[in-house]
Amino acid sequence: MYIFVYKFCKSLIFKVYCGERGTYFITEGFQTKLSYEKAYRLPTTDELFGDEDLEAGKTDLRPENSHNLNLNLSYNRQFGKHGLYAEGGLIYRDTKDYIKRTLDRLGGTSYGIYENHGRVKTKGFNLSARYSYARWFTLGGTFNNMNVRDDERFLAGNTQQESMTYKQRIPNQPYMYASFDATCYWHGLGGKDNVLSLTYDGYYQHEFPLYWEHLGDPMTKSRVPDQLSHNLSLNYSIQNGRYNFSLECRNLTDEKLYDNFSLQRPGRAFYGKVRVYFDGQTTGKKR
């Protein structure tokens, strides 16, 4: 099957790709999928023009272009009230003109800037699984490992000098992370079409280098540390979703969390939300 897809971001075309995709059912419940893509990722507005704060734009950025190969195997079966879904996938990306974020200084102020970085290769895999029991309980999780490395062997300018970062992991980018969640449902609480749900979810991210991992003293090298966060939410849906009340606690254990620029994220926080549909249909538009 031949596909041609556009994806949009901030009023600009973000990604365009075309390719071939096929699927095959090995036996009942087992399915395998293989796809190839020739993809182009255009720079975003922040990458081109900056954000007038911490990001500096670079208007001569070239779009990324890559050859992508994906192989997936999945299993999906229902055993009475028990449901099981599992999936594993292999990922390969050969990217040219990779857009990489780096840091620069002007007048003693640091700011982010984006640049094209020759050639980068990505080899990775992902695993996911989910179990459900009737309408009362679900449990699942995902694990991802993305090995993204510099594949530009020689320095620019047609020289034969080998790059010091050749085969090193691309810095400032998470490469191993996982998520997990569990939800309990109580149907009919206070009314036939009412549902109370309690959800716990978490996220793990392995440490990763902020700069090129093999340059400089490894004892003093800046790294974004391991992170494990926990969230808890309670949602009560009334009259088939016409009225919804939710309470949520993010970062339940008040861990020190950081994004991939080593900026600290908020600590423990509590949120409440009320949502009402006035058109009489939960699938309609909110007014």
Side-chain angles (χ1 to χ4, degrees), residues 63-277:
E64 293 181 358
N65 68 91
S66 62
H67 296 278
N68 307 330
L69 191 63
N70 309 283
L71 176 63
N72 288 76
L73 178 65
S74 63
Y75 177 74
N76 189 13
R77 287 293 301 273
Q78 192 73 30
F79 304 94
K81 294 183 178 181
H82 304 273
L84 179 63
Y85 177 80
E87 182 176 9
L90 299 175
I91 299 169
Y92 175 80
R93 305 278 186 270
D94 185 358
T95 307
K96 295 182 179 179
D97 288 328
Y98 181 84
I99 298 175
K100 183 177 74 71
R101 185 183 188 275
T102 185
L103 297 177
D104 205 345
R105 295 182 66 88
L106 180 63
T109 301
S110 295
Y111 59 90
I113 191 170
Y114 295 86
E115 62 184 12
N116 291 108
H117 183 80
R119 192 169 190 169
V120 170
K121 284 189 177 179
T122 302
K123 299 176 183 179
F125 67 89
N126 56 71
L127 303 170
S128 62
R130 182 158 298 277
Y131 166 79
S132 63
Y133 177 74
R135 298 189 304 159
W136 302 101
F137 179 72
T138 63
L139 173 68
T142 64
F143 177 82
N144 298 270
N145 188 304
M146 293 300 212
N147 190 14
V148 186
R149 294 186 178 269
D150 179 14
D151 200 51
E152 191 70 23
R153 183 167 185 174
F154 299 105
L155 298 177
N158 296 320
T159 69
Q160 291 301 307
Q161 182 180 354
E162 187 167 301
S163 170
M164 296 180 64
T165 61
Y166 179 57
K167 294 300 182 182
Q168 289 192 38
R169 195 185 305 278
I170 296 297
N172 200 20
Q173 186 176 110
Y175 64 90
M176 184 160 50
Y177 45 93
S179 63
F180 44 91
D181 64 88
T183 304
C184 296
Y185 301 92
W186 188 351
H187 294 266
L189 178 64
K192 178 182 177 181
D193 296 321
N194 300 351
V195 181
L196 178 70
S197 62
L198 177 65
T199 300
Y200 160 76
D201 67 90
Y203 180 77
Y204 168 76
Q205 182 175 278
H206 188 64
E207 68 169 11
F208 59 91
L210 195 59
Y211 305 105
W212 292 105
E213 58 184 342
H214 296 314
L215 298 182
D217 186 353
M219 300 299 296
T220 59
K221 184 169 296 296
S222 298
R223 305 183 70 87
V224 178
D226 287 342
Q227 300 177 65
L228 179 61
S229 63
H230 309 269
N231 308 306
L232 196 63
S233 62
L234 182 69
N235 183 76
Y236 186 41
S237 174
I238 302 175
Q239 294 184 15
N240 200 28
R242 184 171 185 177
Y243 306 99
N244 298 269
F245 306 88
S246 64
L247 296 173
E248 184 177 12
C249 178
R250 308 289 298 179
N251 193 4
L252 181 64
T253 54
D254 201 25
E255 302 291 333
K256 291 184 177 180
L257 305 177
Y258 305 87
D259 66 12
N260 60 322
F261 303 131
S262 197
L263 298 175
Q264 189 166 353
R265 295 177 178 175
R268 184 188 298 115
F270 297 90
Y271 303 89
K273 182 171 65 176
V274 177
R275 185 180 63 186
V276 181
Y277 287 91

